[in-house]
Amino acid sequence: MEWYYAEADRKMGPVGEDELKRLLAEGMVGGGTMVWRQGMSAWAELGTVLPDLASSAPAAPGAATAGITCSQCGRRFPPGEVIKLSGTWVCAACKPIFVQRLKEGAALPGIAQYAGFWIRFAAKIIDGMILAVPNFVVMALTAILTGTVMKAAGMADAVTAVVAVLVNWTFQLGLPVVYNTFFVGRFAATPGKMACGLQVILPGGGKVSYARAFGRCFAEWVSGFTLGIGYIIAGFDREKRALHDHICGTRVAKKQRAAG
Ligand SMILES: [Zn+2]
């Protein structure tokens, strides 16, 4: 028997009865989840269509005694009475409001609001303007140094030109790496992202380590090498991931205001 089930406003499946059992055990579906199979005139709650299956669901690991906390009301429920929506637990009572607010794009506790292409683009421009200042200073300094000091030392023009270019390249490539690694590793956001209210996070909302922030700099080069396509795909991804977010397992989310 092939079943379909609803998650938020998406139709999932088809899944067999065994798979449905597994989803129940994991709490991905609950007694209140709307389900449908061929031959049914309308969608109905899993608990009414398959009461035996719903009640026989083994408890999710570790949840047997503790229960699962609804992310919205904070009350604890047995695993069969909560469902996972967009990666967070919601009880039957909170589900309609939760789904409604999810559709409206409202900020919900426990749900990251991923940042789209344009706001990230704006953050990039701000970072670019900040980095332009030291880049300009270094360019000016190397121009002066190569023009005066190296010439005075009797170096050939071609050599001084190469040295100047190498110094500038190294600086212009290295500075964003230092800048991104430090700010993302320390504050989860570069000044540009901070100004736009954005954060780089892990899928579960956790903090990005310095090592991951460092790796992400080079992954971002890959996004750049693809003529910007790596950035543009963020506009089409379900979790608004750019190519370098895919590579590094990161997300860029709107910063949530602390509750209360
Ligand atoms: Zn609740």
Side-chain angles (χ1 to χ4, degrees):
M1 200 86 75
E2 300 276 77
W3 289 91
Y4 292 88
Y5 64 96
E7 191 193 287
D9 52 356
R10 284 194 304 278
K11 183 171 123 180
M12 313 291 278
V15 294
E17 217 149 283
D18 286 343
E19 175 73 0
L20 210 54
K21 244 180 230 171
R22 192 185 64 77
L23 289 167
L24 264 165
E26 287 178 359
M28 298 299 285
V29 299
T33 301
M34 299 303 280
V35 294
W36 180 84
R37 66 170 159 74
Q38 201 100 48
M40 279 169 66
S41 56
W43 288 68
E45 287 192 354
L46 178 63
T48 43
V49 188
L50 292 164
D52 294 346
L53 187 69
S55 60
S56 72
T65 50
I68 294 169
T69 307
C70 167
S71 67
Q72 304 305 298
C73 63
R75 284 157 60 208
R76 297 187 86 80
F77 296 89
E81 292 177 26
V82 286
I83 55 167
K84 207 164 203 180
L85 291 174
S86 294
T88 194
W89 294 102
V90 183
C91 76
C94 295
K95 190 186 149 196
I97 300 169
F98 181 87
V99 171
Q100 186 59 36
R101 289 173 68 188
L102 206 61
K103 277 184 197 157
E104 289 164 1
L108 288 163
I111 293 278
Q113 296 277 304
Y114 299 116
F117 175 79
W118 289 108
I119 183 83
R120 293 176 64 166
F121 186 66
K124 268 250 130 15
I125 295 214
I126 297 172
D127 285 329
M129 289 194 304
I130 294 169
L131 290 170
V133 177
N135 275 337
F136 178 78
V137 171
V138 167
M139 239 192 299
L141 282 177
T142 46
I144 294 165
L145 286 174
T146 50
T148 56
V149 178
M150 289 166 85
K151 218 173 200 127
M155 285 174 84
D157 282 351
V159 177
T160 54
V162 167
V163 171
V165 166
L166 286 180
V167 167
N168 277 307
W169 268 5
T170 309
F171 190 77
Q172 283 176 25
L173 289 175
L175 182 66
V177 172
V178 174
Y179 177 88
N180 281 301
T181 305
F182 171 73
F183 282 109
V184 172
R186 181 97 169 80
F187 304 107
T190 58
K193 285 195 169 71
M194 286 180 208
C196 295
L198 305 181
Q199 269 187 323
V200 183
I201 56 169
L202 295 177
K207 207 170 170 305
V208 172
S209 66
Y210 282 106
R212 194 180 292 259
F214 182 69
R216 196 172 179 273
C217 299
F218 299 97
E220 210 170 332
W221 287 3
V222 180
S223 286
F225 290 152
T226 55
L227 304 174
I229 291 167
Y231 288 106
I232 293 166
I233 62 166
F236 303 94
D237 186 74
R238 199 159 72 87
E239 295 176 72
K240 305 200 174 143
R241 283 165 295 180
L243 181 58
H244 47 284
D245 293 317
H246 279 280
I247 295 171
C248 299
T250 52
R251 309 284 186 277
V252 177
K254 290 176 189 152
K255 199 172 176 187
Q256 293 199 2
R257 260 176 250 136

